[in-house]
Amino acid sequence: MTSSEPGMTRTVSCQCGAVRLELSGKPIVAATCYCHSCQKAGRGFEALPGALEVVGPDGGTPYVLMRKDRLQWLSGSDQLEEHRIKSDSPTRRFVARCCNAPIALEFTKGHWLSVYSARIPEAERPPAEMRTIVKDRPAGVELSDDIPNYSAPTGKFMWRLLKAWAAMGFRAPPLEATKGYGR
């Protein structure tokens, strides 16, 4: 089964395997983000003891965006620690406390979860389809044209989010594993 088939499942896990999340179906999109927030958060996560690289040498952070209704926590959700760049930010990132592995980013008002691509086994990881917010990439970084490079989220990107939301009945369910966190 290829990663683009609707019945595909992938298991996301932290480095030590204590935190596991199942993703079902086709992703909304696989993209690499270059925004300042992703770079700042990623560099902070990389500084944690035992953490692996989060931000690529070009300043990009690869994600796979999944509908929240296609996620199931298999284990370790109690090991997740929430990180926000600003206390009132609607964006929160989750790191597994057990091994300091960043797991995902959530826009709390959204209907999707952005899973750090590195948490998906390489054989199951969909390749990036686009780069977004490339205007924020580090000075001097030149990007290839192997996939589209967008300065900001595009109509194509937003259309995919809208289609996924419509397929969910215009709902934005909470992440079951993180309901106890303040919103």
Side-chain angles (χ1 to χ4, degrees):
M1 187 178 300
T2 67
S3 63
S4 63
E5 291 181 11
M8 176 70 174
T9 60
R10 295 169 190 82
T11 301
V12 172
S13 70
C14 65
Q15 291 178 83
C16 70
V19 176
R20 294 178 47 242
L21 170 66
E22 184 178 79
L23 312 176
S24 299
K26 184 178 179 181
I28 297 169
V29 67
T32 302
C33 183
Y34 290 80
C35 78
H36 292 300
S37 294
C38 284
Q39 290 182 59
K40 180 179 180 177
R43 296 287 183 231
F45 297 149
E46 290 171 347
L48 297 171
L52 300 175
E53 181 180 89
V54 177
V55 181
D58 64 356
T61 304
Y63 292 104
V64 174
L65 281 68
M66 293 295 299
R67 291 170 36 174
K68 286 182 182 175
D69 64 347
R70 292 187 173 174
L71 308 171
Q72 180 178 358
W73 293 99
L74 302 175
S75 65
S77 63
D78 59 327
Q79 290 293 316
L80 296 175
E81 183 173 293
E82 176 184 308
H83 292 261
R84 294 182 195 242
I85 290 180
K86 296 178 185 172
S87 62
D88 61 345
S89 174
T91 302
R92 58 189 186 159
R93 292 167 174 87
F94 295 100
V95 174
R97 282 190 303 267
C98 48
C99 59
N100 291 326
I103 302 295
L105 174 152
E106 178 194 26
F107 176 67
T108 56
K109 298 174 184 167
H111 58 280
W112 71 94
L113 185 72
S114 300
V115 176
Y116 286 92
S117 293
R119 304 284 35 105
I120 301 171
E122 197 168 348
E124 299 174 14
R125 188 181 310 153
E129 302 167 55
M130 65 178 72
R131 295 180 189 95
T132 189
I133 316 180
V134 300
K135 64 181 175 47
D136 288 355
R137 72 186 181 275
V141 169
E142 296 296 324
L143 300 172
S144 69
D145 61 357
D146 56 337
I147 58 176
N149 296 306
Y150 299 115
S151 292
T154 64
K156 179 180 180 179
F157 182 86
M158 300 308 284
W159 176 246
R160 286 193 179 182
L161 287 175
L162 182 62
K163 279 184 15 181
W165 194 29
M168 295 172 65
F170 297 103
R171 296 177 304 106
L175 288 178
E176 291 299 316
T178 62
K179 280 184 175 178
Y181 288 117
R183 287 210 183 262

